[in-house]
Amino acid sequence: MDKKFYIAIAVLVVLIVLVFWGDYVFSLLGIRERVEAKEFAGRIIKTENNLVFMSGRFISENNQPNPQKEEKEVRVFITPETKIIKTIIYLPGLKDVGPDGSYDPATLRRETVDGSKDDLVPDRSSVLIKSDKNIFNKRKFSAVSIEYIEPIYP
């Protein structure tokens, strides 16, 4: 091969290294903030053994701007230490709502109880995953806790 080809490859490799190194240095110096997210909210697609497949969005901490425009699909590992928490919300009956069918969600009776892995079924929405690490844009991560809502109708 010719000498120009090797020089072009070397220049390309140097440019790639500089781009990644610059990105790392900028993030360390705080010139470009990295988004930090330790929570993921969404709905369950399916479950397999100790793995939950979900679709949803990462929740950034400290009101950082979240550049995520669309939902992401992730795999959440349930470890023996993962806490599963169910919040039961008792919805109002017809006599307890206003004439237009409205009600104040803050006044609804709620109970927080231990949840079950068996409750983590496909299409369950309002699921919140919490982690102790930054999980932003990660496709796989372990859950410290899984929280979900179970509405009870009158």
Side-chain angles (χ1 to χ4, degrees):
M1 299 230 167
D2 127 292
K3 195 174 187 179
K4 289 181 184 178
F5 175 76
Y6 290 117
I7 290 174
I9 294 294
V11 167
L12 184 62
V13 168
V14 167
L15 285 174
I16 290 172
V17 168
L18 285 176
V19 166
F20 284 107
W21 181 78
D23 181 56
Y24 177 72
V25 169
F26 282 165
S27 68
L28 285 180
L29 296 175
I31 296 170
R32 185 185 59 88
E33 288 188 37
R34 292 206 180 262
V35 175
E36 178 117 2
K38 293 185 178 179
E39 297 180 343
F40 183 85
R43 67 177 180 80
I44 295 175
I45 298 170
K46 68 178 181 175
T47 58
E48 291 178 2
N49 299 325
N50 290 333
L51 193 60
V52 178
F53 294 81
M54 291 185 63
S55 176
R57 289 185 162 74
F58 295 95
I59 300 174
S60 62
E61 293 186 347
N62 303 327
N63 296 323
Q64 293 174 316
N66 189 341
Q68 182 183 356
K69 303 285 188 246
E70 63 225 19
E71 289 191 348
K72 303 277 186 181
E73 289 191 6
V74 298
R75 295 179 196 162
V76 181
F77 295 101
I78 301 174
T79 66
E81 293 80 30
T82 300
K83 294 178 185 171
I84 301 177
I85 303 165
K86 173 170 42 175
T87 300
I88 300 170
I89 297 180
Y90 295 90
L91 297 175
L94 290 175
K95 64 179 182 190
D96 300 323
V97 297
D100 59 351
S102 64
Y103 60 91
D104 183 8
T107 62
L108 297 179
R109 190 176 81 168
R110 298 169 187 257
E111 290 179 31
T112 301
V113 297
D114 289 338
S116 166
K117 197 167 77 169
D118 296 333
D119 287 342
L120 304 177
V121 295
D123 291 327
R124 177 174 290 282
S125 57
S126 301
V127 179
L128 179 66
I129 307 295
K130 293 185 179 181
S131 178
D132 55 355
K133 299 178 182 145
N134 185 9
I135 57 172
F136 185 73
N137 275 346
K138 301 276 192 275
R139 295 191 51 93
K140 299 183 226 176
F141 51 87
S142 295
V144 169
S145 71
I146 299 175
E147 300 176 15
Y148 60 95
I149 296 172
E150 182 78 36
I152 302 293
Y153 300 95

